Amino acid sequence: YPLKSIKYHYLVPEQWALLEQVCQKRGLVIFAGPMGSGKTTAMYQLAKAQKQQQVMCIEDPIEIREDSFLQVQVNPKAQMDYSTLLKAALRHHPDIFIVGEIRDQKTARAVLTAALSGHLVLSTLHATSAYGVIERLADLGITRSELKSVLQLVSYQRLLPLKSKGQAVLFDIIQQAELFSENVKQENNGMSADWGRYLEQNATKGKITIATAKKFAHG
């Protein structure tokens, strides 16, 4: 479906402003969250907001159509996996890469290389929290020192039902300085203190129910 047809609502609008600000830099931004939480939409919207930038998407499969992006689909039968396509795509010198998912060591290493080469790379990773992204990347052979030089931000997100109609995205955003600080306290299931605070605030304002706040308290 086309990107312009997607309606994307934010429970805390200033979170989106922060994401847009970070995506004006170069480096790696990773999104985590369950299937259907809007990760791909977030990456596309953020890349689209960076006007006059060449964007290349490598996905499996391509879920969103955006004519201004160069979109390539993974094809295992033709030996075109994420890692292979990323290496080939670097020759096109795009400003922004969208990589559908970091699934293995080869892709993790290729994504790191692309980010270190001066590109903005947006990708997703299977993790149950923002802090869990660091542990998952460690499992894939990426060291903390390597991440410190390139990782700008990680974000975990969920789609929450609104008390009125529809849904809105809530992010748990952890920036670089917090990710690698020994003094940062993680809350429930590796979520940040902000996550619980935003849930409580929006339940008090009547945007979401108390039951919804409790249900999503652990991410």
Side-chain angles (χ1 to χ4, degrees), residues 63-75:
E63 300 175 4
I64 299 173
R65 189 176 76 251
E66 175 48 54
D67 295 336
S68 65
F69 294 175
L70 177 59
Q71 296 177 285
V72 182
Q73 185 161 307
V74 169
N75 185 348

Side-chain angles (χ1 to χ4, degrees), residues 38-178:
K39 300 185 296 296
T40 301
T41 300
M43 292 192 296
Y44 268 65
Q45 296 279 20
L46 288 165
K48 187 71 173 177
Q50 308 303 312
K51 301 184 184 303
Q52 299 180 338
Q53 300 280 343
Q54 183 181 7
V55 182
M56 186 165 193
C57 309
I58 302 172
E59 297 178 85
D60 180 23
I62 294 170
E63 300 175 4
I64 299 173
R65 189 176 76 251
E66 175 48 54
D67 295 336
S68 65
F69 294 175
L70 177 59
Q71 296 177 285
V72 182
Q73 185 161 307
V74 169
N75 185 348
K77 291 183 179 179
Q79 296 184 329
M80 291 293 183
D81 57 14
Y82 278 115
S83 175
T84 304
L85 289 172
L86 253 175
K87 290 176 182 176
L90 280 169
R91 302 190 193 108
H92 292 271
H93 303 292
D95 301 294
I96 302 172
F97 277 113
I98 292 176
V99 181
E101 186 180 358
I102 300 173
R103 295 179 178 174
D104 50 41
Q105 290 186 356
K106 284 175 60 180
T107 305
R109 185 60 55 184
V111 162
L112 188 75
T113 300
L116 286 169
S117 300
H119 302 83
L120 171 64
V121 183
L122 309 176
S123 189
T124 71
L125 185 71
H126 180 69
T128 56
S129 70
Y131 284 109
V133 167
I134 305 298
E135 296 173 12
R136 180 70 183 121
L137 286 169
D139 291 341
L140 295 175
I142 307 299
T143 66
R144 289 176 68 88
S145 60
E146 287 175 317
L147 287 176
K148 279 184 181 181
S149 64
V150 73
L151 184 60
Q152 296 288 349
L153 175 151
V154 297
S155 174
Y156 176 85
Q157 66 186 78
R158 295 297 303 265
L159 265 176
L160 274 60
L162 297 173
K163 207 171 181 180
S164 52
K165 287 185 178 180
Q167 297 174 307
V169 179
L170 179 63
F171 299 95
D172 194 24
I173 297 173
I174 316 294
Q175 297 191 71
Q176 186 189 59
E178 299 171 84

Side-chain angles (χ1 to χ4, degrees), residues 7-20:
K7 293 181 179 179
Y8 207 66
H9 303 288
Y10 322 110
L11 195 62
V12 182
E14 53 263 38
Q15 288 187 317
W16 188 254
L18 173 59
L19 287 169
E20 286 188 321

